[in-house]
Amino acid sequence: MEVFQLFSLNHIITILAVVSSSILFPLFCNVAFNSNININISYFIGFILIAHELIKPFYRYEFYNDPFIEILPLHMCHLAAISMGLFLFTKKNIFFEIGYFWGMTGNIMAILTPDLNFFFDWRFFTYYFGHNMLLLSIIFTLVCLRNNIDFKSIVRVSLITLIFLPLIYFLNTILGDGANYWYLSVIPESTSILSLLPNPPLHIIILIPIGIVLMIIVYAPYKYFKNR
């Protein structure tokens, strides 16, 4: 089994496969199907997103021997996937705003700098399947459902994030050793932007402005293509 190496050829191919499939599938649906069919497809995508996040702790516990306390669907990517699933069923825009900004920041960081040890084992495939589906659902919503966000969306999601932040930190404390949701307790060993920050919990002070800047950055391409 090949040891995972950041930005090796296999990793770059994986990134390209995830990004290209997340773009090409929505573009194909937009050209090939009418709006009614795409709405039905959105329900199917929403079901996959929510079902996978609810089932994942059980198969990780059963087959990967991961401690159950560490694999609850509470990381930002997991909550973004659930939020996108709720949006695709309810079409309430606040769920899309959360899914978009948490998904396009935390999810992209997870795709680029995954916390993995090996290539091409089941953990690798299920990890990238979940992150691929989240990115695909966001682009599908923009391309096929024509959903919109604006600068006020950044303000709303920033406030929601600031509300969740102490709750997640408190939950990590209650759950005890091993619980590291949103990486608020321990900086992961894998190389990422978190590796440049001071040790927890001081890194939270820097994470907050970084998170807001990242949300503005991921809003910029949407605004550019929307104007065009």
Side-chain angles (χ1 to χ4, degrees):
M1 188 177 297
E2 183 180 353
V3 176
F4 183 89
Q5 293 182 340
L6 197 66
F7 299 125
S8 64
L9 179 60
N10 282 336
H11 185 206
I12 292 172
I13 291 173
T14 302
I15 293 171
L16 292 175
V18 168
V19 173
S20 60
S21 62
S22 298
I23 295 173
L24 293 176
F25 178 78
L27 289 178
F28 170 78
C29 291
N30 187 52
V31 172
F33 305 127
N34 60 37
S35 59
N36 289 332
I37 294 177
N38 281 327
I39 288 174
N40 289 330
I41 293 174
S42 75
Y43 293 142
F44 181 66
I45 295 173
F47 171 78
I48 293 175
L49 286 170
I50 294 175
H52 182 247
E53 292 303 328
L54 295 180
I55 293 171
K56 181 164 54 178
F58 297 98
Y59 73 66
R60 286 187 59 177
Y61 176 80
E62 182 67 26
F63 299 111
Y64 304 161
N65 296 318
D66 290 334
F68 202 77
I69 200 172
E70 299 178 11
I71 53 177
L72 300 173
L74 295 173
H75 273 300
M76 186 170 284
C77 293
H78 305 158
L79 295 174
I82 293 172
S83 188
M84 280 303 304
L86 291 174
F87 165 77
L88 293 172
F89 279 110
T90 66
K91 302 302 185 285
K92 292 186 180 297
N93 203 53
I94 186 61
F95 290 128
F96 175 64
E97 291 176 341
I98 294 171
Y100 180 89
F101 287 107
W102 287 4
M104 293 296 286
T105 54
N107 189 49
I108 288 178
M109 293 300 296
I111 291 170
L112 295 178
T113 57
D115 187 14
L116 294 171
N117 296 320
F118 299 101
F119 278 112
F120 308 131
D121 64 349
W122 281 110
R123 192 186 301 266
F124 173 89
F125 288 115
T126 54
Y127 177 92
Y128 271 106
F129 171 78
H131 290 87
N132 194 166
M133 286 302 303
L134 175 53
L135 183 59
L136 183 150
S137 69
I138 292 170
I139 297 176
F140 182 91
T141 298
L142 293 172
V143 172
C144 299
L145 303 183
R146 302 289 199 276
N147 219 64
N148 296 315
I149 53 175
D150 54 33
F151 196 80
K152 292 180 181 178
S153 303
I154 299 176
V155 177
R156 283 190 287 270
V157 176
S158 295
L159 291 175
I160 291 170
T161 305
L162 290 175
I163 292 171
F164 267 82
L165 197 66
L167 295 177
I168 297 296
Y169 185 83
F170 179 72
L171 185 62
N172 285 339
T173 304
I174 294 298
L175 293 176
D177 291 341
N180 190 28
Y181 299 106
W182 291 29
Y183 301 113
L184 297 180
S185 301
V186 179
I187 292 176
E189 295 180 0
S190 59
T191 303
S192 69
I193 191 173
L194 296 177
S195 305
L196 305 175
L197 303 183
N199 291 328
L202 293 178
H203 72 313
I204 299 174
I205 300 173
I206 303 176
L207 269 179
I208 293 172
I210 288 177
I212 294 172
V213 170
L214 288 176
M215 284 193 280
I216 295 173
I217 290 173
V218 299
Y219 174 70
Y222 165 82
K223 185 66 174 177
Y224 173 78
F225 286 110
K226 184 68 175 178
N227 288 340
R228 288 176 63 88

